[in-house]
Amino acid sequence: MLNEQQWSKVSTRLTVIQIVALAMIMGSVFFAGLIASMADWSFIGEPIKMLNVIGAGTALLIYGISFAAPMIFPSIPKEIPKLGGDEPSDQLKDKAVAGILALISIETVIKYALIQGGIFLNAMVFMLEPRWVTLIIVALGGLLMLLRFPLKFRLRGNIDQRIEEWQRS
């Protein structure tokens, strides 16, 4: 577990991660809103076209990959030495937390970029072939972004879990 002094260092990084996530959410909302404002809404009741199926299938696959992609990263940076059960010094713990935060930042950007790609793809598909299924996929992507927003309690739990894993290694 980290003490409050170490968490005060983390809070600045959390703010940066949240700003990046919000920028990606706002970009998605703006782009989807722009496409929706340009759309011809007379499609209600028309059958789904193949382009809509391809867009929806691709986005759902991308959304799934956004959950798995962070698993390719190590949970602890490789440059942090293994402890073998010993208690780390505060300096070594600070270095570990900084490395873990860097990994979490990268993971967050990758997750959001993948989801944003699915949203953008389906917004473009909606522009070409407007159908409800495409709007639902765009809304699902937006919901995933909101549900996976990096909050303090999630970050704290993630860091604590990785620190405990590191101390056991």
Side-chain angles (χ1 to χ4, degrees):
M1 298 292 282
L2 301 179
N3 61 38
E4 287 306 313
Q5 181 182 8
Q6 289 165 326
W7 275 113
S8 66
K9 295 175 186 176
V10 170
S11 66
T12 305
R13 189 65 176 257
L14 173 63
T15 304
V16 171
I17 294 169
Q18 288 176 333
I19 288 170
V20 169
L22 280 174
M24 294 179 92
I25 289 171
M26 292 307 297
S28 297
V29 168
F30 174 76
F31 188 73
L34 181 67
I35 298 299
S37 69
M38 295 170 23
D40 175 17
W41 288 88
S42 62
F43 64 87
I44 298 173
E46 291 185 20
I48 295 173
K49 303 246 176 143
M50 184 54 74
L51 184 60
N52 302 108
V53 173
I54 291 170
T58 304
L60 290 174
L61 181 64
I62 290 171
Y63 295 164
I65 290 171
S66 76
F67 284 94
M71 292 178 198
I72 65 172
F73 293 101
S75 60
I76 308 294
K78 291 179 181 166
E79 61 272 3
I80 307 299
K82 300 217 181 277
L83 290 176
D86 297 336
E87 186 63 31
S89 66
D90 282 345
Q91 183 180 11
L92 189 56
K93 204 172 200 179
D94 288 345
K95 185 177 178 183
V97 169
I100 289 168
L101 275 172
L103 287 174
I104 290 172
S105 299
I106 293 167
E107 290 170 7
T108 302
V109 168
I110 288 172
K111 285 188 277 192
Y112 270 73
L114 286 167
I115 295 170
Q116 194 175 43
I119 290 172
F120 283 13
L121 170 69
N122 276 279
M124 294 301 293
V125 168
F126 183 78
M127 188 170 72
L128 297 172
E129 292 289 341
R131 299 293 183 273
W132 285 109
V133 68
T134 310
L135 285 180
I136 291 169
I137 297 297
V138 169
L140 177 63
L143 182 63
L144 280 174
M145 287 181 122
L146 292 176
L147 291 175
R148 299 179 81 187
F149 189 75
L151 298 171
K152 182 178 180 178
F153 77 91
R154 286 187 192 141
L155 181 67
R156 189 173 208 146
N158 196 341
I159 290 175
D160 285 343
Q161 176 187 3
R162 291 178 189 210
I163 289 290
E164 287 173 14
E165 180 185 320
W166 170 60
Q167 287 176 333
R168 285 191 309 262
S169 67

